[in-house]
Amino acid sequence: MVEELIEELYRNYLTKSYLRGYKMDGRLVIGTLCNTVPEEAIHSCGAIPSRLIGSSNTPSKIPSWVCIYAKGVFESAIRGEFDYITGIVSSTSDDTKIHLYSAMLFYLKPERHYLIQLPYQKDGDAEEFYKNEILRLCKKLTGSDLSEDKLNKSISIYNRFREFLFELDSMRGEEKPKISGVEWMKILLSSTAMLKEEINKYLLKIVEEAKDRDGVGDYRMRVHLSGNDFFNIELIETMESMGFAIVSDDFCTAGGYYPGFAGKSLDGLVRRYLSQSACNLASENSLKERIEFIESKVSSSNADGIVILRDRGCEVCGHQCPFIMEEFRDIPTIVLDVDSGVTEQYQTRLEAFIEAYGD
Amino acid sequence: MDWNPLGYKNLYRELFRKHLQRQEELLKKGNKTAWFFSFAPSELIYVFDIVPAYPEQYSAYCASRGSSLDLIDESISSGYGHFLCDYFKTTVGSIISPEKATKPLMPPPDFIVDTRALCVAHHEMSEVFARKFGIPKYTVNYPYWTEDSVRNVDELTKEAEWVDPYYVSYTVSQLKGLVRFLENVCGEGLDEERFRKVFEISEKTSKLLIEIARLMMSRPTPGSQREIADLVFLGFFVLGSEYALEFAEKAYSTIKERVKKKEGVSNEKIRLLTFGIMPWHSLALYEYCEMKGMNFPLNLYVNASLHLSDSSKPFESMVRRSLHFTNCSYDLLECILKNAKRAEIDGALLLENTGCRITSMITRPIADILNENLGVPSLILEAPQCDPRVMNIERAKTQIEAFAESLM
């Protein structure tokens, strides 16, 4: 039953049937480019925030060496694959996201758009500034002021969503994981393609039913996956078929996306987003915060090893990888460059890794 | 006449001599050393008597001396990404393996100042360097300007018809935070009189540099990009120094005289716009083009380094510095058209600096806007600024020649 629910969600993700339905109902679907975008605020304006994930990897208008995520989104966008979105919102979290936003404005001319200026400091001035950014975002997208009542309702919906994900993520970390890496990634990807109140209905059932699962105990090695805007299900499938149990991750499209509950009101939302540290460069001590985040994930999931899935075009991975390797030198760690997208190429190295450190 | 440069070489030599002399004297006195990046508010270096070092300039130096290859390889083999800024890879390579780096090395920093006036990469680099040296850093978070925050920016002066005062005010508050940080790390309060004088120098120098860039658009093109390219050192790093002002006065007078006489750098056949960080390992490429009559009256990269400093509004001036088109959303790119028209360009040579997301992602939109608005075609070359292996110089020459033929 869990399997069926997840497959139903994932089919919807692939077809974008919900998003297209929202658009047909006259609702605004806003494509977002980063998990630093406060979705709750967009949601409270009556719009549907949807993190864009592309399917193409053949760049024509942006350099071939930038990250897989940016290439995929941009090329899918110019091919018209995101015909259901009315607007785009990004933030100044990293250079690629900033210029991806700019390129999309330049070539696609979306009806509505906003770039959130993310403060790097985390003091009172920064909170005030970010609060105003959210107010401006809402005004720009809808022409109306943000409503605190509506925002509080949206925050509740998102917090409920985060609670479900927290429960499911915890089940991955059990001795016999009850949710596989593929299932987890499918749920997270699906969450980009429908309203959170809709997916919450599915998640309620999935959580309840997953609790009764026996879990998988015949794995050879428990690993944490580290990376950024990762969405390659095929690679996770390959790993699981080799005997890896994917017990946690810090991807900003998955394990790094949901942590942190927002308190009620705009102040609560601001504090949640400014304290988010999963992969956010735009912070005074992003490296330290990221290492601490990975440590907490590895520790809570009892991972025996770390697989760093490094996108060679990703500036976050590019700068942080040596420090992460150094910090986790006492844990078996392997770095795979994932820019080719061909999973067969990784098998030999993963086999050697699991032979060396797995049961 | 094959090639007739302005002769700025000696002026640069004198500029660098005075810069290094100041550095040496302050080091002897035990003043604090700091690393800064392009677009930082460099006037404050002179207000607080800081010994500055610039990873970007040092990396360019390593590229021109040939050591950047080893340093880039050192960085990659230490786990840093392939497709990061060449300046970062070269600098981090010089920290890991100083024996492979061109001497003199940059003095080790007591603190680092980074901004997001150009890129988040400066902030990332700063974080890595600060962690490696175990030192404090300060970040000034400038906005990435969009149509929501700015209108009609002049591509040279960076004066705008309108800038949202909200963002100016937020950035000024961070710059004031930087001043407090500098007071703290340097152990001295802000000398208001000194501050005023440094900005007066900065204003005079900035005006002259802007005039030089304007005069470069004359017909025939009066100077070579081999000498104009280094103006970025003044624009980015030493704008508040007296030796920069001396340089600018002489350089302006030289180019003005040449324009008056209608002398060009070569027998001009084609006028090209260029953009992208200069490939410091292969600057001779510009000389090669110019000797063949392909001149560059407009260098948008150099222009990005310039801004009109206003000593009556020093903090606002430091904000204005960030209003270059590479820090504005692409829907504001039309600001480049005015000077492209004025320079009467026939084509554009755009450099995609591998690893630099800022210059590389904007090259195709620049090519498209020039083509759509002026019917001007572009040639895009992959040209990392410090790694000559990716840019085969002979292939580049062939491509440029073929492009030039298509324009004639």
Side-chain angles (χ1 to χ4, degrees), chain A residues 46-299:
Chain A
I48 298 101
S50 165
R51 175 75 186 269
L52 297 182
I53 309 257
S55 59
S56 169
N57 197 20
T58 45
S60 59
K61 287 282 185 189
I62 58 176
S64 58
W65 46 264
V66 300
C67 69
I68 297 165
Y69 176 76
K71 280 186 287 198
V73 167
F74 189 71
E75 297 305 323
S76 290
I78 56 174
R79 287 177 188 194
E81 290 174 22
F82 300 132
D83 55 357
Y84 49 85
I85 63 166
T86 310
I88 295 168
V89 176
S90 189
S91 83
T92 54
S93 57
D94 69 49
D95 288 325
T96 309
K97 298 279 167 56
I98 294 171
H99 287 265
L100 176 61
Y101 168 85
S102 239
M104 290 179 81
L105 246 60
F106 186 79
Y107 287 111
L108 304 170
K109 303 188 173 22
E111 196 182 313
R112 301 176 197 220
H113 50 87
Y114 195 77
L115 182 71
I116 297 166
Q117 310 287 341
L118 211 53
Y120 290 8
Q121 283 84 2
K122 291 178 177 175
D123 52 19
D125 283 354
E127 285 185 9
E128 200 55 35
F129 177 79
Y130 191 63
K131 196 192 289 184
N132 277 313
E133 278 298 292
I134 293 176
L135 294 172
R136 282 166 178 248
L137 162 73
C138 292
K139 188 84 177 174
K140 181 81 190 296
L141 286 185
T142 63
S144 311
D145 291 325
L146 180 136
S147 149
E148 281 270 347
D149 283 348
K150 287 180 182 169
L151 178 66
N152 285 338
K153 283 179 191 156
S154 298
I155 288 173
S156 293
I157 291 167
Y158 271 76
N159 279 348
R160 188 76 185 109
F161 169 68
R162 295 179 202 287
E163 279 169 11
F164 286 134
L165 290 182
F166 182 79
E167 284 190 69
L168 289 169
D169 205 2
S170 302
M171 287 186 214
R172 298 167 75 202
E174 289 179 20
E175 192 182 340
K176 289 184 176 181
K178 289 177 177 164
I179 294 288
S180 74
V182 168
E183 287 173 332
W184 171 251
M185 186 53 83
K186 284 184 173 175
I187 291 169
L188 266 297
L189 289 178
S190 302
S191 77
T192 66
M194 63 204 301
L195 277 162
K196 294 297 185 276
E197 51 266 47
E198 300 283 358
I199 198 167
N200 281 350
K201 293 175 195 163
Y202 281 88
L203 294 180
L204 176 66
K205 289 182 198 164
I206 291 170
V207 167
E208 285 310 311
E209 294 188 18
K211 280 177 187 165
D212 297 332
R213 277 177 151 184
D214 293 333
V216 177
D218 59 348
Y219 52 81
R220 295 179 62 196
M221 186 178 185
R222 299 168 67 88
V223 290
H224 169 89
L225 300 187
S226 184
N228 297 92
D229 300 285
F230 185 84
F231 50 91
N232 184 343
I233 284 183
E234 196 189 342
L235 180 55
I236 298 176
E237 258 170 358
T238 302
M239 290 184 70
E240 291 187 324
S241 71
M242 294 168 73
F244 288 102
I246 314 296
V247 292
S248 67
D249 72 85
D250 56 75
F251 301 135
C252 46
T253 42
Y257 164 62
Y258 77 87
F261 297 101
K264 289 281 177 180
S265 81
L266 184 53
D267 288 334
L269 188 70
V270 164
R271 277 193 283 278
R272 189 264 163 194
Y273 277 88
L274 289 188
S275 63
Q276 192 184 23
S277 59
C279 84
N280 182 8
L281 284 175
S283 147
E284 278 175 297
N285 292 299
S286 58
L287 188 48
K288 180 173 171 282
E289 289 169 9
R290 182 158 166 76
I291 286 170
E292 285 171 358
F293 179 69
I294 297 172
E295 269 169 357
S296 73
K297 299 290 280 186
V298 169
S299 160

